[in-house]
Amino acid sequence: MSKTIVPIGPQHPLLKEPVAFQITVEGEQVIDSAMRMGYVHRGIERLCEERTYVQDIHLLERVCGICSHVHATTYCRAVEALIGVEVPLRGVYLRALLCELERIHSHLLWLGVLARNIGFDTIFMYAWRDREIVLDIMEDLSGGRVSHAANVIGGVRVDLTEARREEILGELTFLDGQVARLLNVVEQEQSLRARTRDIGLLTLEQVRQYCVVGPVARASGLDVDFRRDSLQVPYDRLTFEVPVHDAGDVWARTLVRSQETVESLRLCRQILEDLPEGPTSARVPRRVKAGQAIARAEAPRGEVFYYVRSDGSDSPARVKVRTPTLTSLITLPVQLQEITMADVSVVLSGVDLCIACADR
Amino acid sequence: MTTNDERIAESVAVALREVLPDWEPTVSTMPMDDAWVSVPVDGLIPALEVLLGRFDIRHLSAITADEIDGVLVLLYHFWEGEGITLRVDLQEPERRIPTLVSFLPGADFYEREVFEMYGVTFDGHPDLRPLLLPDDWEGGPPMRRSAIEETGESGR
Amino acid sequence: MVQVLESLESRLRNWTQPVVRWARRKSPWILHFNSGGCNGCDIEILDTLTPRYDVERLGILKEACPRHADVLVVTGPVTRQTRDRLRRIYEQMAEPKWVVAVGSCSCSGGIFAGGHNVVGGVGEVLPVDLYIPGCPCRPEAIIDGIAKLLGKI
């Protein structure tokens, strides 16, 4: 049989963002694949060097629209470490609250996109409808549904009244029920399982060799979660489980993300119930001392890494961002082996692509 | 979390003195649980073998290229409960260093990005071509200070 | 004879024009293309299709192929790599077609203006009929913008 190259992207109904794949098929069988990225490369690291520390918070929030808060938080933590300032506990808790809400909204978004890409539009509509509740809470807290600008260097600029805290707890209870019903369908529905089982396989050894992070790594048996492993405040005083499965296929990733959503809801509840009193941000000096700092965090897609170097001036001398999607993209040639053309959409959806993050 | 005395970097530096007898590694701590250990260009692979073999540290978070006081520096960031970074000062004008891809396939994209943004050649890399920049990119590596000074703000 | 046929043809066109215009206004099918954006505006556009905002009641369907769409909705600043693709997508669409720039980045390059790989807003590449600013743009703003565009059809 002769070989054909099927191009997917940069414009394709499957893809929300421009990226180009060339899938070589023989009949229906995929035998090779190539990828071209960089369509969303905006040169953010270089732009960071030209803007001030405060302007960079807003720039780095827009590396990605889905995980915007965790990018800004990690950057702020690196800068605060350079300055040597400690964020008050209430500010740390509020940052974590937004991070967990963001994880919930990201996983619900992903679930909807996966379902849509395999033709299960009903789950897409239900998941995104429930996601609106999370966006409402985030908008009430910060003023923005998708991009919050909640961080300042030294803490957060947002706060909760006692009444609003009680209301959000009530909304979370409602959301618990909605998510439980949704995940019940996801776990029981045979067609979803049939399409995602044994597709996109990655072994534990492959995950370690490719330095994969996040739900993709946890679905192949690698028990890593930066929140727990680094004893990061406030996670060192909260109770949560880290779901790990070892099948290594898209179904395992679905289960990991579903269970993470439930755990994040638990975390949000604990954060609100234990919210300490006090200020939400600390005063910081006008200049950042020269030096280097590294900050990591657990974004919805895995470990996000920031390196910030200061030379004592108004602008950072270097900001290096490594986003988790890059570690998943490198495994795609492995995942796209020995599957049929129809399963390509499942594999591409299973890794939770965020090309904007990867390209920066 | 470990205290300053027990950082992995110290133990790695001790192990490095054994495998690289002519090199005196410097250890420097960075805020929030990280430390870097200096390594020469030809000591990168032995240092990696120490990390993988003796300490079972296999997770490479990122490879950062930075120009510190005029020197092009490569930072290999590893993580195992705490951060440990290998710092390599590159020689000009060669800007060459061996690739890690044969040991850690996960280093592939990081090396390609450093290649296109800073003009560093990774000897032995199976497919060293640009990752993010367009095919018709004119002009040198966009992140180098010399490129920025020559072309002005963002080189447009 | 020819003159009779010609006058008949032009009268037929006059009667059917309002119907055609009404049909176009009641079912603008959109094609969405992200030309280099952060995804913020993209997920807000997808949000308009979901139960809370539900733009399908206005006749808007999100199409997969440029040849099926009437309105090209672009998000994100235009990067060097997407510039030619954007032009090619626009050329593949059949007349009449409209271009909507959603979000500050597609209006002017937004927060990324000046980046070494960024060309600018969509206006640098295509003739834009409607600009909807915002970072990211709210779904209500997107719906309001599209409704204003429909008024011009």
Side-chain angles (χ1 to χ4, degrees), chain A residues 38-39 51 65 136 139 145, chain C residues 38 47 52 79 81 111 138:
Chain A
Y39 291 88
R51 299 187 186 178
D136 282 344
E139 184 183 3
R145 283 158 53 95
Chain C
C38 75
D47 240 358
R52 181 179 283 189
T79 58
Q81 290 95 322
I111 202 167
R138 290 187 65 99

Side-chain angles (χ1 to χ4, degrees), chain B residues 122-144:
Chain B
F122 290 87
D123 293 320
H125 192 288
D127 186 21
L128 198 63
R129 58 189 164 93
L131 186 70
L132 302 176
L133 290 176
D135 295 326
D136 57 358
W137 178 260
E138 284 151 12
M143 291 289 294
R144 293 224 62 181

Side-chain angles (χ1 to χ4, degrees), chain A residues 11 79 91 99 118 135 198 238 245 254 309 325:
Chain A
Q11 186 270 320
V79 177
C99 279
I118 65 176
L135 294 182
D198 298 324
L238 301 172
H245 287 262
T254 311
R309 182 169 67 86
T325 307

